[in-house]
Amino acid sequence: MHKHGGDIYRNVGVIDYSANINPGGLPEAVIEAAIQGVRYSTHYPDVECEKLREHIAIEEGVPADYIRCGNGAADIIFSLVIALKPKRALLPAPSFYEYEQALRAMDCQVEYFYLKEEEGFVPGEDLIDAIKPGIDMMFICNPNNPTGVLLDKDYLKRLLDKCQSCGTYMILDECFNDLIEEPDKYTCKEYLAGNDRLLILKAFTKLYAMPGLRLGYGLCSDKAVFDKMKEVSQPWSVSIPAQMAGIAALKEKEYVLSTKADIKKEKARLVEGLKDLGLKVYGYGANYIFFKARPGFHNECLDRKIMVRNCGNYEGLEEGYYRIAVRGAEDNDVLLKVFEEILK
C-alpha cells in the first residue's frame, strides 16, 4: 500500500525511472502561472474551477459540464467510489492500486480478472464475458499501468456496451492517453454523450510533469454523478496555483509535440536496448516500459543510483517484474550502461 514510484525522499541522489513523468520537465510558463497562483492565494480557490473547466472543455472537445476537477486523478477515483457506493466491482490485475484502495475503503467486494503473462497481459473476450449483472463498477486503464498494454477503441466499445447492458459503471483511466502517439485513435470521449455509465479519468500529472501540484479531472455526461461526488467531496480541493498552472499548461502545444517526439525516439532506443540485453519486454504504449528480469534486480539498480519501479507488489504479479519511465538521452545512456553491468 502506497508503495509507488517517485520516492526520491528516501532515495536521495538517484536517477528516478520509477515515476512516469514527461522528461521535458515543468514548462516555464506553467511554473510562472503557479507562482502567480501562490501570490493570489490570500483568496479561496474557485470551488467550481470554472475557468479551468472552460479551457479543458476546449482542449477535450466536450461540454464544460461534462468535467469535474480534483486534487489529482486519485481524488476523482475516491470521491466517485464514495458517491456511488458500489457493492461489487471488477478489476483487471495487475493495474493501478488506487482503484482497489478506494473500493475497499467503501467495503466493496473486489473481484479480480487476472491478466495472463502468456497472453502478454492483454485482456480478451473473457474480460467482456466476466462483466455480469450485479457488478456495479469496473476500472480499466488504457494504456494499462504498469503493463503498458494499449487496447484499441473497438474492444473498449464492446466492453462499454456490455457494461451499459449490465448496469455497470465503466471507469476508464486515460491518464496516459495524451502520451501515446495517436491519442485520438484510442480515447473513448466520443462515447460520453450516449452513455451515462462511462466516466473517463484524466490528469495533468504525467504529460505536463506536474505531479506535485495535484490536478486531475473526470469526464462524464451524467450530471447526477458529479452532483453526488460534490456532496461527498471536501470543498476547495483544487488550489489556486494548481488551477492557474492547469490553464497555462493547456496552452503548451509546442512543448507537447516536442517532448512526445523525444519520448518516441528514446523509447524505441530503450526497448531495443533492453531486448539486446536479453530482457523480456511486454507493453510500452505510453512513456514507460514493462519488462521482466530476475528478482532483486531493482535493488541491484538502486545500489548504482538508478531507481526502477519494482512491480512485485501489484496484484497479479510477483517479484521479477519491473517498469521504467522514458527519460532523456543522457539519463538513458546511464541506465543502459548500468543494466549491462548488472546483467553481463
Side-chain angles (χ1 to χ4, degrees):
M1 184 175 180
H2 298 310
K3 289 184 179 179
H4 299 282
D7 188 7
I8 60 167
Y9 305 100
R10 276 151 289 278
N11 297 279
V12 178
V14 299
I15 302 176
D16 183 15
Y17 275 86
S18 67
N20 308 319
I21 308 301
N22 191 324
L26 261 171
E28 192 61 36
V30 177
I31 295 173
E32 289 301 317
I35 291 171
Q36 290 300 317
V38 171
R39 293 194 176 106
Y40 202 69
S41 291
T42 52
H43 305 278
Y44 281 100
D46 176 10
V47 294
E48 302 294 335
C49 298
E50 187 174 43
K51 288 185 178 179
L52 175 59
R53 288 192 300 113
E54 288 173 358
H55 282 80
I56 294 172
I58 294 170
E59 180 70 17
E60 298 285 10
V62 301
D65 59 4
Y66 279 23
I67 302 163
R68 178 170 177 79
C69 298
N71 188 247
D75 183 32
I76 301 296
I77 293 168
F78 275 80
S79 60
L80 174 69
V81 172
I82 294 169
L84 296 182
K85 298 178 177 58
K87 300 299 181 186
R88 289 177 62 200
L90 180 66
L91 292 182
S95 199
F96 190 51
Y97 176 70
E98 265 68 14
Y99 312 147
E100 176 188 349
Q101 184 187 1
L103 292 164
R104 293 200 184 281
M106 293 303 295
D107 294 323
C108 178
Q109 177 185 336
V110 175
E111 300 177 11
Y112 296 108
F113 178 89
Y114 289 100
L115 304 171
K116 299 174 183 176
E117 179 184 9
E118 59 269 24
E119 295 173 359
F121 298 100
V122 180
E125 297 303 312
D126 43 357
L127 175 58
I128 298 175
D129 294 339
I131 302 166
K132 302 181 185 302
I135 294 178
D136 303 309
M137 183 177 289
M138 78 162 298
F139 283 84
I140 189 156
C141 188
N142 194 41
N144 190 31
N145 182 9
T147 64
V149 170
L150 188 58
L151 302 173
D152 64 60
K153 192 182 292 188
D154 289 341
Y155 178 83
L156 291 170
K157 181 62 167 63
R158 287 185 281 120
L159 198 64
L160 180 58
D161 289 344
K162 184 66 179 293
C163 285
Q164 181 82 345
S165 67
C166 293
T168 303
Y169 280 98
M170 176 170 151
I171 317 305
L172 176 59
D173 188 338
E174 291 190 359
C175 285
F176 287 100
N177 175 267
D178 293 318
L179 280 158
I180 65 179
E181 291 176 23
E182 299 179 275
D184 291 340
K185 186 177 176 181
Y186 294 93
T187 181
C188 285
K189 288 184 295 185
E190 66 191 78
Y191 305 130
L192 285 166
N195 197 311
D196 61 358
R197 294 280 161 168
L198 173 64
L199 187 141
I200 297 176
L201 294 169
K202 297 292 292 284
F204 287 76
T205 300
K206 316 299 183 181
L207 180 60
Y208 300 107
M210 47 190 281
L213 281 169
R214 309 307 306 139
L215 182 58
Y217 55 98
L219 304 176
C220 183
S221 62
D222 188 355
K223 184 178 180 296
V225 171
F226 284 161
D227 287 343
K228 290 178 182 178
M229 291 171 67
K230 188 175 181 179
E231 289 175 2
V232 301
S233 300
Q234 60 169 325
W236 311 300
S237 62
V238 185
S239 70
I240 293 175
Q243 291 188 39
M244 293 180 67
I247 292 170
L250 293 171
K251 300 174 183 177
E252 291 290 323
K253 308 300 183 185
E254 181 56 38
Y255 165 88
V256 171
L257 290 174
S258 63
T259 55
K260 284 181 67 173
D262 291 341
I263 289 168
K264 179 181 178 180
K265 178 182 176 182
E266 287 301 309
K267 180 169 63 174
R269 188 164 75 96
L270 284 174
V271 169
E272 182 180 0
L274 266 58
K275 289 180 177 179
D276 287 346
L277 290 169
L279 295 169
K280 175 65 175 176
V281 177
Y282 297 94
Y284 42 90
N287 63 326
Y288 52 94
I289 302 164
F290 182 62
F291 66 97
K292 191 174 185 179
R294 60 185 179 230
F297 181 73
H298 62 292
N299 288 324
E300 295 177 271
C301 291
L302 194 57
D303 289 341
R304 294 162 174 83
K305 295 297 183 179
I306 296 286
M307 187 162 65
V308 305
R309 176 65 161 95
N310 173 22
C311 297
N313 68 327
Y314 279 86
E315 181 72 33
L317 294 179
E318 58 188 11
E319 289 294 322
Y321 292 95
Y322 304 95
R323 188 195 69 203
I324 56 169
V326 177
R327 293 181 61 89
E330 186 176 338
D331 286 344
N332 293 337
D333 287 340
V334 176
L335 176 111
L336 290 172
K337 183 179 179 181
V338 166
F339 277 23
E340 184 174 12
E341 288 174 359
I342 295 170
L343 295 168
K344 290 192 174 181

